[in-house]
């Protein structure tokens, strides 16, 4: 049985590839997509979500827009974040994409998540956030029962080694640390697919060649996304090949062998002057607190990229 997921995204080039993987992999049923402000302002991440959904043929599922601003902190803007330039002015610069083939669902993202989870069986849905966690925190506060009904939360965000916006904090967590703290501290199982894992998922020249060899409209779009994302990743973070962060969260739902994870105590720092937004991860039991969540540690690089390439081929045929 395919695993039913609700993707919560802020496209974002790697969010776009996560949507493509979710649509193109037979182990996943992409039940809905919700958008959140993050890589760009909400109107742009929502427009990008609709365009990518149209591109990959996800035109028969509900897509709802969510939070325009973080719960408490000021919004990170391009001006004060080195991450601002990575996705470009539109949030998804590069190839021309189709105009949306569908209307937005009129509900707020949080309400759509609640409605699907409450109407489904317990454990039917997995939440896969790949942007700031504002919508997820709003949904669990609006309807606390979803915490016990959701199968698990598998999110791209955080890191147990080093952040990418500050030394302590990764962008998705830093952008709304209070929302992230609520999500990590709730009683559901959270799997943190952080930078420690996603920096293993880099698009090397050999991988780029395999994608180009598919030679379809979709593969050409992905290739152009990687060109744009890669160029900025190199200039901003001095990484020669771009890491496809968000697709790793979908890959974890597909296979726990492709994205391995270890149990740990994980919470989010919201008061530290220098460490605000850090995902504090205790693998050793130093705090004597229960290992409430999981942290992704090891990627099967070849199997991961096989998933992506197979999904590009599948979506290309649809
Ligand atoms: O730090 C990486 C994360 O921030 C990814 O989700 C990327 O899309 C950006 O949102
Ligand atoms: Ca993202």
């Amino acid at each position: 049985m395919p695993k039913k997921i609700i993707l919560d995204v802020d496209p974002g080039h790697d969010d776009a590839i996560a949507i493509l993987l979710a649509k193109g992999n037979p182990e996943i049923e992409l039940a809905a997509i919700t958008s959140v402000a993050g890589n760009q302002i909400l109107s742009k991440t929502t427009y990008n979500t609709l365009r990518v959904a149209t591109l990959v043929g996800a035109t028969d599922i509900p897509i709802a827009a969510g939070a325009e601003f973080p719960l408490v902190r000021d919004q990170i803007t391009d001006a004060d974040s080195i991450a601002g330039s990575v996705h470009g002015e539109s949030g998804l610069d590069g190839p021309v994409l189709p105009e949306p083939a569908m209307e937005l669902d009129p509900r707020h993202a949080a309400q759509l998540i609640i409605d699907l989870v409450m109407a489904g069986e317990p454990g039917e849905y997995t939440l896969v956030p790949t942007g700031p966690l504002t919508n997820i925190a709003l949904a669990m506060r609006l309807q606390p029962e979803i915490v016990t009904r959701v199968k698990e939360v598998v999110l791209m965000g955080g890191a147990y080694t080093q952040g990418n916006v500050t030394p302590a904090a990764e962008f998705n967590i830093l952008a709304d640390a209070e929302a992230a703290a609520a999500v990590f501290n709730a009683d559901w199982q959270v799997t943190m697919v952080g930078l420690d894992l996603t920096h293993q998922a880099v698009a090397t020249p050999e991988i780029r060649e395999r994608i180009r060899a598919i030679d379809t409209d979709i593969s050409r779009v992905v290739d152009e996304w990687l060109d744009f994302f890669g160029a900025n990743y190199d200039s901003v973070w001095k990484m020669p090949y771009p890491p496809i962060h968000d697709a790793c969260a979908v890959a974890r739902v597909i296979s726990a062998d492709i994205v391995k994870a270890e149990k740990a105590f994980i919470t989010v720092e919201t008061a530290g002057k220098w460490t605000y937004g850090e995902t504090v991860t205790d693998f050793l039991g130093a705090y004597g607190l229960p290992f409430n969540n999981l942290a992704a540690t090891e990627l099967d690089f070849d199997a991961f990229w096989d998933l992506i390439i197979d999904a590009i081929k599948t979506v290309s045929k649809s």
Side-chain angles (χ1 to χ4, degrees), residues 45-68:
T45 58
T46 302
Y47 179 53
N48 293 338
T49 301
L50 291 169
R51 293 195 295 164
V52 173
T54 300
L55 177 78
V56 304
T59 53
D60 56 347
I61 58 172
I63 298 176
E68 188 172 0

Side-chain angles (χ1 to χ4, degrees), residues 8-12 14-15 39 87 130-132 156 171-172 245-246:
D8 185 66
V9 295
D10 65 331
D14 53 332
D15 302 78
N39 283 317
H87 300 277
T130 64
M156 193 280 138
F171 177 78
N172 287 341
H245 304 284
D246 296 335

